Amino acid sequence: MRKVILSIFMLLSAMSANAQNAYSSSMLEKNRHDIPETGTCIVEGNVTNVPDGTVVNFWFPENGDYIGEAIAKINKGKFHFKKKIRENTRYIITLGNDSKELPFLAALGTTKITGDNADCSLWRVENQNPAVIEETAYMDRRNAISEEFKKKEEESKKQKKEAQIDIYAEEHFYFNSMYEFMKGRPYSSTYKKELTKLIRNTPYLWNDPQKRVYEKKLRELCLKIPFNEVAEYQNLFTRKVLNVGDYLIDFMLYDHDGKEHHLEEFSNNNKYLLMEFCCKEDKDMMKTRPENVLDDLYQNYSANLDIVTINCDAEDAWMSGRLPRDKWNEWNDHKNSLAVMMEYSTMFRYVFISPENKIIGFGRHEDLKDKVKQHFAFVK
């Protein structure tokens, strides 16, 4: 929460100073001692439909809070200021005493801000910060989708097709358009926010005969999710992961030599199967991985049990040979194997499967030894 009283006092003081003349340069740097500055940011604003004289407030982080400064006034739609900033830090702009905010990540050099109304939260920010570039790309795409839908709707009305328009037509159009856009985007904080929004909005789409197509597309977008974030998304889906009693589902994967394999290879061999999900570049995971338990199973119980590690590392790490390799089957689908993980388990690292190809249990690193004895009666 902002330091409201101090901020209001500062803003009133600044506005009073403006009435007499320009802002004091000493005030602009006041109370900034705890922020290590890395360079200068020049902000150039060019907006329309905002009254001249409107105060532009600049909020900067200090001691876990935000402190506000009245830093410029809009004159003929333009404002300009120069600040020493910390690169990659999030700052905020507000107008006058309006509560609406425009947060942006700072970058050295020039930041351009444009808008066509007095709601600064809708203004466009452009600078060389990669995160800002990504956010701007999504904003542009959202605006373009909105314009495309309006044109599509107008065309339908001209052709007198109003009765055929689905009440959720805009949601369908937005989903499919954004899906096509996101297929070519890298995973980022903006990608994550948009993906979460798409998943949460899918109830609007579930009445559609193609609802499984939507879920398939969502799961495809989820393949870019980092290993440690998969669980955040799985619970948002209508159809949950496989559960005890469900049958094994097949996937195609590859071994270290590039040979193609299928999970159904473990079917009909009268053996139990232990499926592990492992990301070997995750150092914290590898510290807790019970390799002694896995080695014991492989060395002493291979007559009754198969083990397959579904490797979830990125393709370059998987192919490089720098990661440790297991003695038993270790496969990767060259796509981080997240599709397999999304289907089988996100909260657990191990899946226990019976000779009849049914899931009989799940386990984590810390309880693997006990779960092995519970589900594999032949283990001593």
Side-chain angles (χ1 to χ4, degrees):
M1 182 177 179
R2 302 173 187 158
K3 296 180 179 176
V4 178
I5 297 176
L6 176 61
S7 300
I8 291 174
F9 174 78
M10 292 174 65
L11 295 177
L12 289 173
S13 299
M15 284 185 263
S16 174
N18 272 329
Q20 299 172 12
N21 230 324
Y23 296 96
S24 165
S25 60
S26 61
M27 184 196 76
L28 300 184
E29 300 306 319
K30 188 177 179 181
N31 296 324
R32 307 232 22 225
H33 306 299
D34 73 321
I35 302 178
E37 295 157 345
T38 54
T40 300
C41 173
I42 299 171
V43 175
E44 295 180 352
N46 191 346
V47 297
T48 57
N49 300 314
V50 183
D52 278 358
T54 300
V55 174
V56 178
N57 310 311
F58 181 77
W59 300 81
F60 58 85
E62 180 179 302
N63 299 325
D65 206 342
Y66 272 87
I67 303 296
E69 303 173 324
I71 199 167
K73 291 171 72 174
I74 294 177
N75 181 24
K76 296 181 180 179
K78 298 183 184 298
F79 62 91
H80 175 280
F81 60 85
K82 181 188 294 186
K83 293 294 295 181
K84 288 187 178 298
I85 51 90
R86 179 173 56 186
E87 198 171 13
N88 293 318
T89 298
R90 189 168 290 276
Y91 296 90
I92 296 171
I93 284 178
T94 62
L95 295 182
N97 59 0
D98 194 345
S99 62
K100 293 175 182 176
E101 301 177 345
L102 175 67
F104 70 98
L105 285 171
L108 303 184
T110 301
T111 291
K112 293 184 177 182
I113 295 178
T114 54
D116 60 4
N117 57 61
D119 183 352
C120 68
S121 66
L122 301 176
W123 289 357
R124 174 192 175 96
V125 178
E126 293 180 83
N127 63 28
Q128 294 305 305
N129 190 300
V132 173
I133 294 173
E134 194 69 3
E135 287 177 0
T136 302
Y138 276 83
M139 179 183 289
D140 289 346
R141 187 63 195 129
R142 291 188 200 101
N143 292 337
I145 291 173
S146 179
E147 290 302 315
E148 289 167 12
F149 181 76
K150 286 179 183 177
K151 290 179 181 178
K152 183 174 182 292
E153 195 173 42
E154 288 172 3
E155 186 62 31
S156 295
K157 288 180 179 179
K158 286 179 182 178
Q159 298 176 14
K160 299 182 179 180
K161 292 184 177 180
E162 295 94 329
Q164 300 175 24
I165 296 177
D166 182 355
I167 59 170
Y168 295 125
E170 189 168 2
E171 285 82 358
H172 288 269
F173 186 81
Y174 183 89
F175 179 96
N176 288 303
S177 299
M178 187 55 74
Y179 161 76
E180 292 297 332
F181 174 74
M182 291 176 68
K183 284 197 302 183
R185 306 304 300 184
Y187 188 79
S188 65
S189 59
T190 309
Y191 184 105
K192 179 176 182 176
K193 285 188 283 188
E194 187 64 41
L195 177 57
T196 302
K197 184 173 78 172
L198 288 179
I199 294 172
R200 286 176 173 161
N201 285 347
T202 49
Y204 292 114
L205 308 175
W206 291 146
N207 292 327
D208 192 278
Q210 300 297 314
K211 62 182 180 180
R212 289 304 177 203
V213 174
Y214 289 114
E215 183 159 329
K216 183 179 179 181
K217 288 181 176 180
L218 286 172
R219 289 180 181 271
E220 181 183 337
L221 294 179
C222 283
L223 297 184
K224 296 181 184 181
I225 300 169
F227 180 81
N228 289 332
E229 295 184 25
V230 172
E232 295 181 37
Y233 293 86
Q234 182 58 64
N235 292 332
L236 296 174
F237 282 105
T238 303
R239 183 166 60 89
K240 304 301 183 185
V241 294
L242 295 173
N243 210 334
V244 172
D246 292 329
Y247 282 95
L248 176 150
I249 291 180
D250 189 37
F251 279 90
M252 184 177 73
L253 303 106
Y254 302 88
D255 62 24
H256 284 287
D257 296 322
K259 183 180 178 182
E260 181 182 308
H261 291 275
H262 288 262
L263 291 178
E264 62 183 11
E265 291 176 25
F266 300 107
S267 302
N268 304 316
N269 61 1
N270 295 317
K271 287 186 179 184
Y272 287 84
L273 173 64
L274 177 63
M275 183 185 300
E276 178 195 28
F277 292 97
C278 184
C279 179
K280 293 186 175 179
E281 283 201 306
D282 186 329
K283 295 180 180 178
D284 292 333
M285 172 177 285
M286 294 304 288
K287 284 179 184 177
T288 60
R289 189 188 189 211
E291 293 186 32
N292 58 327
V293 178
L294 295 167
D295 284 334
D296 179 62
L297 291 172
Y298 177 73
Q299 295 289 345
N300 300 309
Y301 300 99
S302 57
N304 303 98
L305 172 69
D306 284 318
I307 303 175
V308 59
T309 292
I310 309 298
N311 181 281
C312 298
D313 288 298
E315 184 174 7
D316 58 344
W318 165 257
M319 299 292 287
S320 68
R322 70 174 184 267
L323 300 175
R325 296 186 177 184
D326 295 315
K327 307 178 188 73
W328 48 88
N329 300 298
E330 184 179 15
W331 301 342
N332 183 302
D333 68 354
H334 297 303
K335 297 178 182 177
N336 299 50
S337 300
L338 292 180
V340 191
M341 187 177 183
M342 292 288 292
E343 195 71 57
Y344 275 91
S345 175
T346 57
M347 303 303 295
F348 301 97
R349 295 290 173 251
Y350 301 94
V351 184
F352 299 84
I353 299 173
S354 73
E356 294 76 32
N357 301 327
K358 280 190 175 183
I359 295 174
I360 55 177
F362 299 89
R364 298 182 175 90
H365 284 177
E366 61 270 22
D367 64 8
L368 179 61
K369 190 172 183 179
D370 293 334
K371 292 291 185 179
V372 162
K373 291 183 178 179
Q374 175 185 341
H375 297 299
F376 300 151
F378 52 85
V379 176
K380 297 178 182 179

